[in-house]
Amino acid sequence: MAEGGAVRGAGHGDTRGAAGFWAPGTQILWRYRENGGARFHIARPVTVVRDDRELLAVWMAPGTECVRPVLADGTPVHREPLATRYTKPRTVRRDRWFGAGVLKLARPGEPWSVWLFWEPGWQFKNWYVNLEEPLARWAGGVDSEDHFLDISVHPDRSWHWRDEDEFAQAQRDGLVDEALAGRVREAGRAAVEVIAAWGPPFSDGWQDWRPDPSWTVPSLPRDWDRTPAHVSP
């Protein structure tokens, strides 16, 4: 895969329709800003499955070249003890997403997205509620900031909190202030209400979805961290 390959839908190749939505098959970037900073430290090229006033659904294919944060010495973030995980200097690294792909679903203005994971052979594994800033759209994709706290939802509809320790550490390290922590908890409670009622997207049958076999794996563009000229909610 060419390192500098363009993402369809980005820059001059914008493929959004008259209503500002991307057509299925369009390749865009799904990015996250670093916590407590302005730089992007996660970038994932994805393919649009659906995009309308109700939902943005994208597919991250196996083998996709991505950008992820690492410590300045190259240590993977998850291997650093929690007490120093968010205070040591960091950089970013290009890597590839191995294993099964991920389907990401986000409703406009909602402070979380829902990810679907499968085992090899399309055995559905679980839903993952990623609490985050509502997605901001721009010509080449969508941007957000992760809020540490997450929820796993299992096929039997049971659920449990994830990364509560990281959420607490982020507060201790000043990456999440009291006001933001309150908003994140409120968003988590709202997500749990949706899960308890088995509302969309959990009730929509996305676990039976499969990608178009004609889709190619998007390339990570050289300017993956470019500042958008214009963003909109």
Side-chain angles (χ1 to χ4, degrees), residues 131 133 147-149 167-168 170-172 175-189:
L131 298 175
E133 285 294 316
H147 286 161
F148 299 97
L149 190 62
F167 184 54
Q171 292 173 72
R172 288 192 291 270
L175 296 177
V176 176
D177 62 23
E178 185 176 352
L180 176 56
R183 294 200 303 273
V184 174
R185 293 190 190 97
E186 182 180 358
R189 289 192 292 268

Side-chain angles (χ1 to χ4, degrees), residues 111-129:
W112 68 78
S113 57
V114 178
W115 305 359
L116 282 78
F117 290 88
W118 288 265
E119 302 285 5
W122 288 105
Q123 177 65 39
F124 182 64
K125 183 180 179 182
N126 67 285
W127 293 270
Y128 183 93
V129 179

Side-chain angles (χ1 to χ4, degrees), residues 85-137:
R85 187 173 299 173
Y86 302 123
T87 56
K88 283 194 173 181
R90 292 189 179 191
T91 185
V92 295
R93 172 180 293 173
R94 288 174 178 259
D95 205 346
R96 292 192 182 275
W97 186 272
F98 291 102
V102 182
L103 180 67
K104 299 186 177 189
L105 311 173
R107 294 194 291 188
E110 205 159 54
W112 68 78
S113 57
V114 178
W115 305 359
L116 282 78
F117 290 88
W118 288 265
E119 302 285 5
W122 288 105
Q123 177 65 39
F124 182 64
K125 183 180 179 182
N126 67 285
W127 293 270
Y128 183 93
V129 179
N130 197 71
L131 298 175
E132 59 190 35
E133 285 294 316
L135 297 180
R137 301 169 63 100

